[in-house]
Amino acid sequence: MNKLSARNQIKGKIVDVTKGATTSHVRIDVGGTVITAAITNEAVAELSLKAGVDAWAVIKASDVMIGV
């Protein structure tokens, strides 16, 4: 992966890509926890994303909320 300023970069494996009309939901397994990202179908095609591919979940947020 190219360098990014985001510090929250988590490597995992894509377990599922569900395409919608314009947006896809990409599910990445990171050590037993699945993170879901909503990205454009165009991005899925450009990155050749599909189940079984290693990928990085990059989380960039100005606020993080925690609930219990």
Side-chain angles (χ1 to χ4, degrees), residues 11-66:
K11 188 173 183 180
K13 188 174 292 286
I14 297 175
V15 293
D16 185 49
V17 178
T18 305
K19 291 186 180 180
T22 58
T23 305
S24 292
H25 289 109
V26 180
R27 298 178 61 217
I28 302 174
D29 182 316
V30 290
T33 298
V34 177
I35 296 174
T36 303
I39 64 174
T40 64
N41 291 338
E42 184 176 293
V44 169
E46 287 178 7
L47 296 169
S48 300
L49 301 180
K50 60 185 175 186
V53 171
D54 288 335
W56 293 85
V58 180
I59 302 163
K60 181 76 173 172
S62 57
D63 297 305
V64 176
M65 294 180 225
I66 300 174

